[in-house]
Amino acid sequence: MQQPIQNYIEHTLLRPDISDKDIENLIDEAIKYQFVGVCVPPYWAKKARRDIGKNPIQLVTVVGFPLGYSRSEVKLKEIESALREGVNELDVVVNISAIKTGMYGWVKAEIAQFAKMIHEQESFLKVILETAYLNPQELEQTAKVCIDAGADYLKTSTGFAPTGAEISTVQRLRSLAPSHVGIKASGGIKTLTQTEAFIEAGAERIGTSASIAIMEQWQEKIKHS
Amino acid sequence: MQQPIQNYIEHTLLRPDISDKDIENLIDEAIKYQFVGVCVPPYWAKKARRDIGKNPIQLVTVVGFPLGYSRSEVKLKEIESALREGVNELDVVVNISAIKTGMYGWVKAEIAQFAKMIHEQESFLKVILETAYLNPQELEQTAKVCIDAGADYLKTSTGFAPTGAEISTVQRLRSLAPSHVGIKASGGIKTLTQTEAFIEAGAERIGTSASIAIMEQWQEKIKHS
């Protein structure tokens, strides 16, 4: 491991039943632990931007989340709104239903539209592949079209599918992607051991809502090493 | 029971990993069994409209689904797109996060905006309350603001929360709503027995992906009665 563990962690809160207080706590914790980013629902992005202030924390939100089957024009509107509110990184769910219909050319064109809009604002596009639903061939072909379309990161999971990130999937994505495309592991990551294993497998970012527990385990480990 | 059971059933397919073939089957089944409606992802609404043709089946799609925390402007865009594609009924997830922040006035204003746009096209607005996350006071207050804002139906659940429709919740909603507002029960309804119990409790619509099994149980019951 090259860097302190907090440099990998996007402190995440995407449950549908959170309140303004939960967002305030999330930002306070991110400032305290110096997490690389926070990932919040679209509805809370504007407040999160204000609460982050001048702190060096990336503001991340989600698009077409978590099912991926919104219309392109709706995802574009969602991206446009988020960018206007100062979001730095957009985690967009790929249209899994279009993949299952074999429409890879369409998927590539859709992601390319998103990349153009996001890159014009010097922000990052992370494409969530929701790997739980993809077989190895679909995973490979989807990763390829997303890379070709300009994705900055490939992200494994929403956390709302039957399974989340898996080590073998992260290794596979890392081997498929060129070095300028990062991998974000997310979904079911709850411990320091898991976090370190995903980083070892090639993840540059870890999306988790168990960030505080992971940091406490990390600090304990540092103390005894 | 006043009517044949198919008059209550919205034949539903909202999984993220369905293909064009799954939608074709859904519409074929809806035509065969004469279901009152089909409920499909936004991405498939246009195809569903074409496949339904002149058959008397309501086309239903979802908005802000399933987490409810999209921005208002994004939900409005989603409604506008759906109406343009000929959707008859829109099942919109309420902003649960705003409810948890106590913003009932804002929730009412948001739903009223949706109602205006939808009613101008002579379509129906169903508000999904996602009752799994609401305590009795929140349920009552949310139902009230949605009714005042112009909802045509109150719908219990997305099917993606920890729990779905419950009999006591449907009874409570039925007692809170005036007679011109319908109740749609959805989430975890898999059998004829459940379906009949929810209708008895006051539901006018049943959203389910187990429609075929329910119809087969119904036909079996009719045969023996």
Side-chain angles (χ1 to χ4, degrees):
Chain A
M1 188 160 317
Q2 313 284 314
Q3 306 175 45
I5 198 107
Q6 63 269 24
N7 291 12
Y8 293 91
I9 293 178
E10 293 183 21
H11 192 34
T12 298
L13 195 55
L14 292 169
R15 293 202 327 270
D17 61 337
I18 58 176
S19 73
D20 55 343
K21 294 289 174 292
D22 295 313
I23 293 293
E24 284 165 17
N25 289 342
L26 187 84
I27 308 293
D28 287 347
E29 290 166 347
I31 293 170
K32 176 178 171 193
Y33 288 100
Q34 302 182 287
F35 292 124
V36 67
V38 289
C39 184
V40 303
Y43 178 66
W44 292 113
K46 193 154 57 170
K47 173 176 173 56
R49 174 81 285 157
R50 201 165 48 232
D51 290 358
I52 287 172
K54 299 284 183 197
N55 291 284
I57 296 169
Q58 300 301 302
L59 176 57
V60 185
T61 194
V62 292
V63 175
F65 192 86
L67 302 175
Y69 54 43
S70 316
R71 292 173 195 78
S72 297
E73 66 208 75
V74 172
K75 286 180 174 173
L76 280 167
K77 179 78 179 176
E78 205 163 10
I79 291 167
E80 183 197 312
S81 298
L83 290 171
R84 205 172 48 231
E85 292 174 357
V87 167
N88 306 108
E89 307 186 0
L90 289 123
D91 291 13
V92 183
V93 185
V94 76
N95 193 318
I96 305 147
S97 212
I99 293 168
K100 294 292 178 182
T101 307
M103 295 169 59
Y104 289 98
W106 183 91
V107 170
K108 181 169 161 181
E110 186 185 49
I111 300 291
Q113 270 193 297
F114 301 160
K116 179 173 187 296
M117 182 179 270
I118 291 168
H119 292 160
E120 280 173 356
Q121 301 296 319
E122 293 170 25
S123 295
F124 278 130
L125 165 61
K126 306 202 202 85
V127 181
I128 307 177
L129 306 182
E130 198 65 302
T131 58
Y133 296 117
L134 306 180
N135 67 34
Q137 291 72 34
E138 290 167 341
L139 179 74
E140 181 167 339
Q141 209 163 344
T142 305
K144 186 177 180 332
V145 298
C146 292
I147 291 163
D148 288 351
D152 299 296
Y153 283 84
L154 302 178
K155 175 176 169 182
T156 60
S157 314
T158 63
F160 289 85
T163 60
E166 292 181 2
I167 294 292
S168 60
T169 307
V170 169
Q171 289 169 333
R172 183 78 187 117
L173 291 175
R174 186 60 277 165
S175 75
L176 289 167
S179 62
H180 67 276
V181 174
I183 310 300
K184 176 175 172 183
S186 57
I189 304 175
K190 298 189 188 310
T191 66
L192 176 63
T193 308
Q194 284 176 295
T195 301
E196 289 179 330
F198 280 112
I199 293 170
E200 177 68 27
E204 275 179 43
R205 291 287 187 87
I206 304 293
T208 177
S209 50
S211 327
I212 304 304
I214 292 168
M215 285 308 293
E216 286 169 355
Q217 291 163 30
W218 167 254
Q219 287 165 345
E220 196 65 19
K221 181 178 165 177
I222 295 293
K223 200 165 39 174
H224 292 94
S225 68
Chain B
M1 190 159 315
Q2 312 284 314
Q3 306 176 46
I5 197 109
Q6 63 269 25
N7 291 13
Y8 293 92
I9 293 178
E10 293 183 21
H11 193 33
T12 299
L13 196 55
L14 293 170
R15 293 203 327 271
D17 61 338
I18 57 177
S19 73
D20 55 344
K21 294 289 174 292
D22 295 314
I23 294 293
E24 285 165 16
N25 289 342
L26 186 85
I27 308 293
D28 287 348
E29 291 166 346
I31 293 169
K32 175 177 171 193
Y33 288 99
Q34 302 181 286
F35 292 124
V36 67
V38 289
C39 184
V40 303
Y43 179 65
W44 292 114
K46 194 154 56 170
K47 174 177 173 57
R49 174 80 285 156
R50 203 167 45 232
D51 291 357
I52 288 172
K54 299 284 183 198
N55 291 284
I57 296 169
Q58 300 302 300
L59 175 57
V60 185
T61 193
V62 291
V63 174
F65 191 85
L67 301 175
Y69 54 43
S70 316
R71 291 173 196 78
S72 297
E73 66 207 75
V74 172
K75 286 180 174 173
L76 280 166
K77 178 78 180 178
E78 204 163 12
I79 291 167
E80 183 198 311
S81 298
L83 290 170
R84 206 174 46 232
E85 292 174 358
V87 167
N88 306 109
E89 306 186 0
L90 288 122
D91 290 14
V92 182
V93 185
V94 76
N95 193 319
I96 305 148
S97 211
I99 293 168
K100 293 294 178 181
T101 307
M103 295 170 59
Y104 289 99
W106 183 91
V107 170
K108 181 170 162 180
E110 184 186 50
I111 299 291
Q113 270 193 296
F114 302 159
K116 179 173 187 297
M117 181 179 272
I118 292 168
H119 292 160
E120 279 172 357
Q121 302 296 319
E122 293 169 26
S123 296
F124 279 131
L125 166 61
K126 306 202 203 85
V127 181
I128 307 177
L129 306 182
E130 198 66 300
T131 58
Y133 296 117
L134 307 181
N135 66 35
Q137 291 72 35
E138 290 167 342
L139 179 75
E140 182 166 339
Q141 209 162 343
T142 305
K144 186 177 182 328
V145 298
C146 293
I147 291 163
D148 288 352
D152 299 294
Y153 284 84
L154 302 177
K155 175 176 169 182
T156 59
S157 314
T158 63
F160 289 85
T163 60
E166 292 181 2
I167 294 292
S168 61
T169 307
V170 169
Q171 288 170 333
R172 183 77 187 117
L173 292 176
R174 185 62 277 165
S175 75
L176 289 167
S179 63
H180 67 276
V181 174
I183 310 298
K184 176 175 171 182
S186 57
I189 304 175
K190 298 189 188 309
T191 66
L192 177 63
T193 308
Q194 284 176 296
T195 301
E196 291 179 329
F198 280 113
I199 294 169
E200 177 68 27
E204 276 179 43
R205 292 285 187 88
I206 304 292
T208 177
S209 50
S211 327
I212 304 303
I214 292 167
M215 285 308 294
E216 286 168 355
Q217 292 164 30
W218 167 254
Q219 287 165 345
E220 196 64 18
K221 182 178 165 177
I222 294 292
K223 200 165 39 173
H224 293 94
S225 69

